[in-house]
Amino acid sequence: MAKRSLQASAQGIKKAKQAFRRKNWTQEYLAGEVGLETRHPIWKFFTGKPVDRQVFQEICFVLELNPEEIAEQPTIEDESIPFETIPENTSDIDVLVQKARLAHQEKIQAQCGTLHLLDIARPIELDDLYVEVNVFEEITSQRWLEIADLQKLDSNDFDRFSLGNINQQWITGLEAVLKYSKLMVLGKTGSGRTTFLQSIAIHCNQGKFQPDCLPIFISLKHFAENTSEDYQINLSKYLYQEFSECGIYEADLSTIFSHGKAIILLDGLDELTDEDSEKVIREIRNFNEKYYKNIIIITCRIAGQQYKFKGFTVVEIADFSKSQIAAFADKWFVAVAKNSLWEGKAKASEFMQKLELPENQQILELATTPILLNLTCLVFQFLGDFPTLRSELYKQALELLLVRWDEARGIKRDEVYRNLSLIHKIKLLCRVATTTFTQGDYFFPETKIQQLIADYLRQLPHPPTDLEALQLDSKAVLKAIEAQHGLLLEQARGIYSFSHLTFQEYLTAREIVASANSQALQEFVTHVGKKRWREVFLLAAGMMQPADDLLLLMKQQIDILGISNQKLQNFLVWLGEKSSTVNGSYYPASVRAFYFTLALPPDHPLAHNQNLALSLDRRLAGKLAVDLALDLALIHALAVSLKITGDIFCQRLSAIALALDLQHLLQDRPALEQSLQQLHAELPSPQESRITLKAWWQANGETWTGKLRNLIVSDRQIGHDWQFDESELQILQQYWNANKLLLDCLNNAGNVTFTTIRSIEKNLFLVNS
């Protein structure tokens, strides 16, 4: 078993001090380079005292040393505490426990010391990757909540990252073990239940947690399989036999159990077959009643919570937080990807920076589940980024939960819905996702989802003819999907949701693509202006082969939105006419996007937002053509004037004067230059008193601003007061979002003809009525 601390040898200290002197650093500076809050570990390092393994390695890397050359080589005595070293005054039971711990130490390390990750060929040391989990003391599915309580936010602002942790308070997993001696730990598929038990076993084995107890880890699946031929399954007998192989016999083990000196870790209650389940549960109850003083922890998938054990507290593993995701990535890119410490940290930092970008929020949401976080890290390691075609990542994640996770663990479940093939399971999930998402439901009653399942089952060959049987089957299918795959979860009593909103969106897009006839697409594109449909459109565009029909129908629907309101239509007519007068070689659509935001009220969120215009033509990021630069400056001057009040006029007078100083842009426009100079001349002198300036603006400010607006409207055809009301601004926002979405779909689509590309790019922000 690898030690969790290292110390420098005498020769290593000498080499380290030489390297330290070459750096000409202080110990405080070295501590900062390593990321330590104090220099105490640095002092311990140079004096040959034990230092945490990771800190030891980082000190060596900063000093450009090989840790293996610096560290004292471990001896057999370093790896364990010999039985003979137990103090004489230790009680008989403590002596017995230490004897059993030493005898069982290697097996616990072999059982729990490594992790086997999907698609990773070699085992990974648990300590090199494990991140402590958090747990909820209130079980999600047992909460008495209404759908309105769960979904308090408007759908456009829904916090997808916290979907799995709504209104929940958590404690760490170890805190829960210390707080409750009898625990049932629930968690959805791939949430880290087994790894949590392994960590408890290893930390106990290392003396870091309950060092006076004997850790025992049991896979209930293996327990059932190994005792399947016995007439009666007996947990005590099974443990006696296991320990007899390492020289600890029944009487000693029974004594340890009777004194409550064992930590019994029972993993995977949900992995038992129906035939074994009842027997094993009965045996766990018998063991707990007989040896009630011991710590006993059982893990099970969330849907297995119907199993009840007297005296047990039920907790639920929480989704990873952002800090936990970052900690996992920090370790993954070193331990799994086999990067050096600093390369791994740099890669992890890049991973997190990209993961937290707004366009990657769907992937961030998936990464809250450890099994999917591992998949995400793996993809990033190979590609150096997240895939452009997100649907492929989601497809892999879906396959992981539906098939590969159970296959990798050798679990063959007694499927209630075994007559459903994999493709039918996916089609069923697509139907549920599309129906609920179209209706704007992130959370839905159990009765509704059962009805959707029943409707699907009716379409299959040989469906149940009896209505009651159909209802029972639909409920069984729902529970099977929840228990086996964790794709649908009970978020409160009788209220379900998809485990990740990303899956609901992906399955909806998949259903749309699968049934992409003219009528279905026509209905789909009616959602083009709705923000919550954005990801579905992007996924559908990426999956369709080809995507021309979808993109052209989206453009038609955007045009319909553009003429849905007379004022908006007038605005778009002006936009086209104004943009056509600009002299320059920019793409016309980029110029239209430029003037679209320039014409909005100054306090509008999109005002002066030129990101889309820049994405259409990067030349706008350089020196602007005179027409665009002049109009931008004039709109700025008008915006400054509109925001001035009498109280702040004395402070903003210089800002107005500066905004009107546009001689460098007016060389070929003498009339406009003269008019602006006249307006400037009307302003009072900045030498006037504050009271005088305030009075002047209160008397003349509105008139003066009106003259400025009229001048730039008549001369430059900009600065119109469109007087949009709130509903019209919302339509305007929808129109902008829809055009941006169309452009993003065009860039995301994998198969589009050149004719369609040119047509859309040419007519973006133009209404073809």
Side-chain angles (χ1 to χ4, degrees):
M1 179 179 68
K3 294 173 63 182
R4 296 313 300 158
S5 63
L6 294 174
Q7 61 193 79
S9 65
Q11 189 63 27
I13 294 172
K14 184 177 179 180
K15 288 183 179 180
K17 287 183 176 179
Q18 289 173 349
F20 181 62
R21 283 194 291 269
R22 285 196 299 269
K23 293 287 186 181
N24 198 26
W25 289 345
T26 63
Q27 288 192 5
E28 287 82 359
Y29 187 87
L30 177 57
E33 287 293 296
V34 176
L36 300 171
E37 293 183 359
T38 71
R39 69 178 183 89
H40 187 64
I42 305 296
W43 173 81
K44 290 173 66 179
F45 173 85
F46 283 119
T47 55
K49 292 180 170 51
V51 178
D52 179 83
R53 173 180 288 269
Q54 186 172 358
V55 173
F56 185 96
Q57 291 174 337
E58 291 190 15
I59 294 172
C60 290
F61 286 133
V62 170
L63 294 176
E64 301 176 2
L65 299 170
N66 184 342
E68 294 181 0
E69 296 178 358
I70 303 302
E72 183 78 63
Q73 295 304 309
T75 63
I76 295 174
E77 287 74 18
D78 289 328
E79 297 297 311
S80 60
I81 304 172
F83 177 63
E84 292 77 6
T85 64
I86 299 173
E88 293 182 1
N89 61 353
T90 304
S91 68
D92 290 343
I93 183 61
D94 288 337
V95 171
L96 191 57
V97 169
Q98 290 303 318
K99 177 183 175 183
R101 282 172 59 89
L102 291 171
H104 194 52
Q105 190 176 54
E106 286 188 4
K107 182 167 185 179
I108 280 290
Q109 180 64 28
Q111 279 183 307
C112 303
T114 57
L115 302 174
H116 293 269
L117 306 177
L118 284 176
D119 298 320
I120 304 299
R122 70 188 194 287
I124 307 298
E125 290 290 328
L126 181 136
D127 281 332
D128 289 341
L129 190 61
Y130 180 69
V131 173
E132 186 173 8
V133 300
N134 299 323
V135 299
F136 298 136
E137 296 179 273
E138 180 185 19
I139 304 307
T140 301
S141 62
Q142 297 303 305
R143 296 178 295 178
W144 288 100
L145 296 174
E146 301 292 334
I147 288 179
D149 298 321
L150 291 168
Q151 191 169 317
K152 291 182 178 180
L153 298 176
D154 180 82
S155 60
N156 283 346
D157 299 315
F158 193 80
D159 184 3
R160 61 191 306 131
F161 182 78
S162 62
L163 178 62
N165 297 343
I166 297 172
N167 298 328
Q168 292 272 52
Q169 298 296 318
W170 52 261
I171 60 175
T172 68
L174 282 180
E175 285 175 335
V177 177
L178 291 172
K179 190 173 182 180
Y180 309 107
S181 63
K182 302 291 187 293
L183 268 183
M184 168 78 87
V185 180
L186 305 180
K188 60 187 179 186
T189 303
S191 60
R193 302 180 309 278
T194 299
T195 311
F196 172 55
L197 285 199
Q198 287 180 240
S199 74
I200 294 173
I202 290 297
H203 288 156
C204 181
N205 207 33
Q206 294 170 344
K208 295 180 178 179
F209 179 76
Q210 302 287 26
D212 59 341
C213 290
L214 173 65
I216 301 174
F217 181 93
I218 300 171
S219 164
L220 291 175
K221 175 177 176 292
H222 293 162
F223 166 59
E225 290 171 349
N226 293 338
T227 57
S228 60
E229 296 181 0
D230 296 347
Y231 175 73
Q232 183 176 4
I233 293 177
N234 187 300
L235 183 56
S236 299
K237 180 181 176 182
Y238 176 77
L239 291 174
Y240 296 152
Q241 184 176 345
E242 288 283 304
F243 273 82
S244 67
E245 296 174 0
C246 56
I248 304 297
Y249 298 104
E250 181 176 337
D252 289 342
L253 200 58
S254 179
T255 301
I256 291 172
F257 291 158
S258 297
H259 282 79
K261 288 293 186 176
I263 300 178
I264 312 294
L265 306 168
L266 305 174
D267 185 45
L269 188 62
D270 60 289
E271 297 176 2
L272 298 169
T273 63
D274 291 342
E275 181 182 353
D276 293 332
S277 180
E278 186 176 342
K279 298 176 185 177
V280 172
I281 290 171
R282 182 173 60 248
E283 185 53 28
I284 292 173
R285 286 173 177 155
N286 292 339
F287 184 90
N288 181 50
E289 288 178 5
K290 183 176 181 180
Y291 299 119
Y292 57 89
K293 293 182 180 180
N294 297 281
I295 296 173
I296 301 179
I297 307 174
I298 308 170
T299 67
C300 185
R301 291 192 183 181
I302 288 175
Q305 62 189 274
Q306 65 269 22
Y307 308 125
K308 300 294 183 184
F309 295 94
K310 184 178 180 181
F312 276 70
T313 298
V314 184
V315 297
E316 179 182 331
I317 292 183
D319 284 346
F320 268 3
S321 65
K322 287 182 182 178
S323 61
Q324 287 173 308
I325 293 172
F328 182 93
D330 233 23
K331 294 186 172 186
W332 194 98
F333 285 103
V334 174
V336 182
K338 295 195 291 188
N339 293 306
S340 70
L341 182 64
W342 298 114
E343 287 174 339
K345 285 183 176 294
K347 195 74 172 179
S349 177
E350 181 187 3
F351 173 83
M352 287 305 302
Q353 286 175 6
K354 292 190 175 182
L355 191 62
E356 292 187 284
L357 293 174
E359 60 265 30
N360 291 327
Q361 59 178 329
Q362 288 79 14
I363 299 177
L364 173 61
E365 182 204 339
L366 288 184
T368 58
T369 301
I371 187 177
L372 300 179
L373 175 55
N374 174 62
L375 173 65
T376 306
C377 289
L378 189 63
V379 170
F380 192 88
Q381 172 67 16
F382 277 103
L383 299 180
D385 203 342
F386 299 114
T388 303
L389 197 60
R390 302 299 171 81
S391 58
E392 286 302 314
L393 175 61
Y394 305 154
K395 181 181 178 181
Q396 291 292 323
L398 188 66
E399 180 187 338
L400 187 66
L401 296 180
L402 282 174
V403 180
R404 296 181 61 210
W405 185 235
D406 275 354
E407 282 185 350
R409 293 163 69 87
I411 301 169
K412 296 186 182 300
R413 300 181 186 275
D414 294 331
E415 295 189 358
V416 180
Y417 66 147
R418 56 184 173 271
N419 292 328
L420 286 179
S421 64
L422 176 60
I423 190 63
H424 275 303
K425 292 175 185 177
I426 293 175
K427 286 183 176 180
L428 170 59
L429 288 166
C430 286
R431 183 74 56 83
V432 172
T434 304
T435 303
T436 53
F437 191 85
T438 300
Q439 295 172 356
D441 296 333
Y442 298 126
F443 304 96
F444 23 86
E446 183 176 5
T447 53
K448 178 176 181 176
I449 197 169
Q450 285 183 21
Q451 185 61 51
L452 291 173
I453 293 172
D455 291 343
Y456 185 84
L457 294 179
R458 282 196 191 95
Q459 301 173 13
L460 299 178
H462 314 296
T465 54
D466 180 69
L467 181 60
E468 185 175 350
L470 185 64
Q471 290 175 341
L472 289 174
D473 280 357
S474 65
K475 183 171 184 176
V477 168
L478 171 59
K479 292 300 180 183
I481 293 173
E482 180 183 13
Q484 297 177 28
H485 314 308
L487 287 164
L488 292 169
L489 296 178
E490 194 171 8
Q491 297 284 9
R493 290 180 182 268
I495 300 174
Y496 279 79
S497 79
F498 278 87
S499 58
H500 296 282
L501 180 54
T502 298
F503 282 136
Q504 190 178 12
E505 292 168 331
Y506 166 69
L507 291 164
T508 300
R510 187 164 174 160
E511 173 82 352
I512 289 165
V513 171
S515 58
N517 55 54
S518 178
Q519 181 179 351
L521 288 181
Q522 286 282 3
E523 184 176 347
F524 177 41
V525 298
T526 60
H527 303 293
V528 72
K530 301 172 184 175
K531 186 178 178 181
R532 71 182 191 88
W533 280 84
R534 173 179 171 78
E535 183 66 12
V536 180
F537 275 98
L538 290 171
L539 289 169
M543 287 188 282
M544 279 191 173
Q545 300 291 329
D548 295 67
D549 288 346
L550 172 61
L551 296 171
L552 293 173
L553 284 172
M554 288 173 67
K555 176 62 174 123
Q556 290 179 17
Q557 187 64 35
I558 292 169
D559 290 344
I560 292 172
L561 181 62
I563 61 175
S564 63
N565 176 278
Q566 186 59 52
K567 198 180 293 186
L568 175 59
Q569 188 174 358
N570 294 340
F571 175 82
L572 295 176
V573 169
W574 163 82
L575 181 65
E577 292 175 349
K578 170 59 185 175
S579 301
S580 66
T581 66
V582 173
N583 295 318
S585 58
Y586 304 113
Y587 294 131
S590 67
V591 177
R592 289 192 290 272
F594 176 88
Y595 279 104
F596 189 106
T597 60
L598 204 63
L600 295 174
D603 57 348
H604 192 278
L606 287 175
H608 301 286
N609 183 341
Q610 299 301 339
N611 290 339
L612 181 55
L614 288 171
S615 69
L616 286 163
D617 195 330
R618 298 302 304 176
R619 289 174 294 178
L620 287 171
K623 184 178 180 181
L624 288 175
V626 174
D627 280 343
L628 272 63
L630 176 59
D631 290 343
L632 183 64
L634 289 170
I635 289 297
H636 170 69
L638 179 60
V640 170
S641 303
L642 288 170
K643 291 181 179 179
I644 289 179
T645 64
D647 291 327
I648 65 171
F649 178 55
C650 62
Q651 292 100 345
R652 303 308 301 273
L653 179 55
S654 60
I656 296 178
L658 186 62
L660 295 178
D661 184 11
L662 303 175
Q663 292 182 1
H664 60 294
L665 297 173
L666 297 170
Q667 295 174 359
D668 298 326
R669 296 171 176 81
L672 178 58
E673 181 180 7
Q674 183 178 0
S675 298
L676 289 173
Q677 288 175 349
Q678 289 175 353
L679 277 173
H680 185 277
E682 291 181 16
L683 294 172
S685 169
Q687 304 303 320
E688 299 285 350
S689 68
R690 179 186 295 269
I691 295 175
T692 301
L693 291 174
K694 178 180 179 179
W696 187 94
W697 187 260
Q698 288 176 336
N700 305 289
E702 186 175 347
T703 302
W704 187 90
T705 302
K707 289 180 181 180
L708 176 60
R709 183 191 290 278
N710 291 336
L711 173 62
I712 62 177
V713 167
S714 61
D715 194 280
R716 299 296 303 162
Q717 294 79 53
I718 58 172
H720 298 276
D721 183 6
W722 293 99
Q723 297 184 344
F724 292 120
D725 60 27
E726 191 60 37
S727 63
E728 288 165 340
L729 286 173
Q730 289 179 1
I731 297 174
L732 204 64
Q733 182 74 59
Q734 284 185 4
Y735 181 80
W736 171 270
N737 291 342
N739 275 279
K740 187 177 187 308
L741 174 59
L742 177 58
L743 182 63
D744 290 340
C745 285
L746 185 65
N747 294 330
N748 200 51
N751 188 358
V752 188
T753 64
F754 181 72
T755 303
T756 298
I757 294 173
R758 290 301 302 271
S759 174
I760 290 176
E761 288 181 345
K762 180 181 178 182
N763 295 292
L764 207 63
F765 290 105
L766 275 184
V767 176
N768 298 320
S769 56

